[in-house]
Amino acid sequence: MVLDVWKQLKKKQFAPLYLLYGPERFIIKETITKIAENALEDDEAEFNIGTFDLEETPLSVALEEAETFPFIGERKLIILHNPVFLTAEKTKEKVEHNIDQLLAYLENPSPFSIVVLAAPYEKLDERKKITKQLKKHATVVEATKLKEQELERWVTEQASFHGVGIEREAVNELLSTAGQNLMLLANEIAKMALYAQEEKMITVDTVTQLAVKSLEQNIFTLIDFIMNRRTAEAIELLQDLLRQNEEPIKILALMASQIRIMYVSKGLAKEGYGQQKIASHLKIHPYRVKLALEKAQYFQEQELMAFLNNIADADYKMKTGQMDKVLLLELIILQSGKTK
């Protein structure tokens, strides 16, 4: 797990080879940063970090650099970006790579170099010998979205990195408010940690005051207002979103997505599915399922379906130019909601 690898790096425990792969680029970038910060002194970094784009540079050049003694200090960091040869993707490569040379290096890596392969791809080709050998010899970090418990732990560790604690309730409030984008969360935590330097603790109140709501969370709130007939608040929030230059058609699409997630999650939960299975079925982060189930418990399935029908009708009218887009959103607010 990535958090365990980060903990090892903090303890100055390094592997000679790292394979970082997956679509979550923040995790790849953060892991490389942590390796560099912990493995090299500041005055060594300029001389002992080699970065190679394997779409432009042959493997042989990068491996030769890995086998050359560091200029100063004890070790070097060699970062290999875009190893597309690890995937099944068929591309016209600008350079030819000697894969056998990399296979040989895996068997006998340089004792003074840390080699990192950064592969921001959804999947690697597991049939290839090089992929199998890399997974056998390297420390592998799968850069995918963190699960709920991993995400909560990561938030706590980020706060600790900035010298403050964070209440458990504040962690939940932050994830509910700001969403699950790690880059955005890192920025929010840094901001709140600065604010909380005196008390050394991020509280729920801190999050409420400072955290910027994600568009996703604003849409959840908008749906709550609509379905609970809080019309004036719904209109006000809609106007706020429009003032932030959010496109009406994007707002409508997100409303449809959120209601669909609530509807499907509610139905699958009734059949005994857990959060992880529902998330896998919907191909979304488990935390989104958790939030959807919390919201969906207050509404009947037929209410959610009626809301979806109103959205579908508005979507058709928007795309065919039958009515003003903002007016259609306001009509949804007036038409949809719970029967009191």
Side-chain angles (χ1 to χ4, degrees):
M1 184 170 48
V2 61
L3 299 181
D4 293 326
V5 172
W6 289 356
K7 189 174 287 186
Q8 290 167 5
L9 294 174
K10 193 173 181 181
K11 293 178 180 177
K12 307 291 185 182
Q13 297 172 356
F14 309 110
L17 295 157
Y18 290 90
L19 171 60
L20 319 178
Y21 80 95
E24 189 64 73
R25 289 176 181 267
F26 176 86
I27 289 178
I28 292 176
K29 182 180 177 183
E30 188 74 359
T31 303
I32 292 172
T33 299
K34 289 181 184 296
I35 293 172
E37 288 176 346
N38 288 286
L40 303 172
E41 299 295 333
D42 290 343
D43 58 349
E44 298 172 3
E46 182 181 352
F47 303 100
N48 289 332
I49 295 181
T51 303
F52 300 89
D53 182 348
L54 297 182
E55 291 184 347
E56 304 284 345
T57 307
L59 263 171
S60 56
V61 175
L63 294 178
E64 184 180 331
E65 180 66 26
E67 291 172 334
T68 303
F69 283 102
F71 180 65
I72 55 172
E74 297 179 7
R75 59 176 69 88
K76 301 173 75 171
L77 173 58
I78 307 298
I79 306 161
L80 311 183
H81 290 286
N82 303 317
V84 71
F85 53 80
L86 296 178
T87 74
E89 186 180 339
K90 302 224 182 297
T91 58
K92 290 185 179 179
E93 295 184 9
K94 298 177 184 177
V95 294
E96 288 189 19
H97 295 297
N98 185 343
I99 303 300
D100 288 338
Q101 189 176 354
L102 179 56
L103 287 168
Y105 185 88
L106 297 181
E107 296 289 342
N108 186 28
S110 167
F112 47 76
S113 289
I114 298 171
V115 174
V116 179
L117 284 97
Y121 314 120
E122 190 82 40
K123 291 181 181 177
L124 303 183
D125 190 342
E126 303 289 343
R127 299 166 298 178
K128 291 184 174 180
K129 182 179 179 180
I130 184 58
T131 304
K132 292 175 183 176
Q133 289 300 305
L134 262 172
K135 288 198 167 184
K136 177 182 176 182
H137 291 282
T139 293
V140 178
V141 172
E142 194 171 351
T144 55
K145 292 188 181 300
L146 301 179
K147 296 174 183 176
E148 183 182 340
Q149 288 184 338
E150 294 173 337
L151 192 56
E152 291 173 356
R153 179 178 154 195
W154 178 81
V155 169
T156 302
E157 291 184 359
Q158 280 291 114
S160 178
F161 173 78
H162 290 288
V164 299
I166 182 168
E167 295 174 349
R168 183 173 182 79
E169 294 80 5
V171 173
N172 292 329
E173 183 67 22
L174 176 61
L175 294 174
S176 298
T177 301
Q180 295 84 50
N181 182 294
L182 296 183
M183 184 69 76
L184 293 177
L185 282 171
N187 291 336
E188 290 298 305
I189 293 165
K191 176 178 67 180
M192 289 185 289
L194 191 62
Y195 177 84
Q197 279 302 310
E198 192 172 324
E199 296 81 7
K200 298 295 182 186
M201 182 62 66
I202 297 172
T203 64
V204 173
D205 188 51
T206 312
V207 176
T208 304
Q209 286 185 58
L210 299 181
V212 176
K213 274 192 177 184
S214 65
L215 179 57
E216 179 183 285
Q217 181 57 32
N218 274 318
I219 296 298
F220 258 136
T221 303
L222 181 62
I223 290 168
D224 263 355
F225 287 159
I226 294 170
M227 298 194 74
N228 285 292
R229 296 288 190 188
R230 295 165 65 179
T231 306
E233 290 160 289
I235 294 288
E236 185 179 349
L237 178 52
L238 173 61
Q239 294 301 325
D240 281 344
L241 293 175
L242 294 171
R243 279 193 290 271
Q244 293 167 28
N245 295 319
E246 298 294 352
E247 288 292 328
I249 200 157
K250 182 180 180 182
I251 293 172
L252 190 69
L254 284 170
M255 287 171 67
S257 174
Q258 298 287 25
I259 293 292
R260 176 180 170 274
I261 291 169
M262 289 166 68
Y263 179 81
V264 175
S265 297
K266 189 177 182 73
L268 291 177
K270 285 170 76 173
E271 294 178 22
Y273 283 69
Q275 283 182 29
Q276 285 293 141
K277 282 193 173 181
I278 296 172
S280 179
H281 176 80
L282 290 170
K283 295 182 172 57
I284 60 174
H285 196 285
Y287 208 85
R288 290 187 67 189
V289 174
K290 178 183 178 181
L291 293 177
L293 287 172
E294 287 174 358
K295 301 288 184 184
Q297 66 179 313
Y298 300 108
F299 307 111
Q300 300 297 320
E301 287 177 70
Q302 58 265 34
E303 293 173 323
L304 296 172
M305 182 52 70
F307 200 164
L308 272 177
N309 288 335
N310 286 341
I311 290 173
D313 182 58
D315 181 67
Y316 175 76
K317 288 177 179 175
M318 271 192 193
K319 290 175 179 174
T320 55
Q322 293 185 33
M323 196 179 296
D324 178 78
K325 294 175 182 178
V326 175
L327 180 57
L328 280 165
L329 287 173
E330 291 174 345
L331 282 174
I332 286 177
I333 292 173
L334 298 171
Q335 291 170 351
S336 304
K338 273 186 165 184
T339 301
K340 294 293 182 184

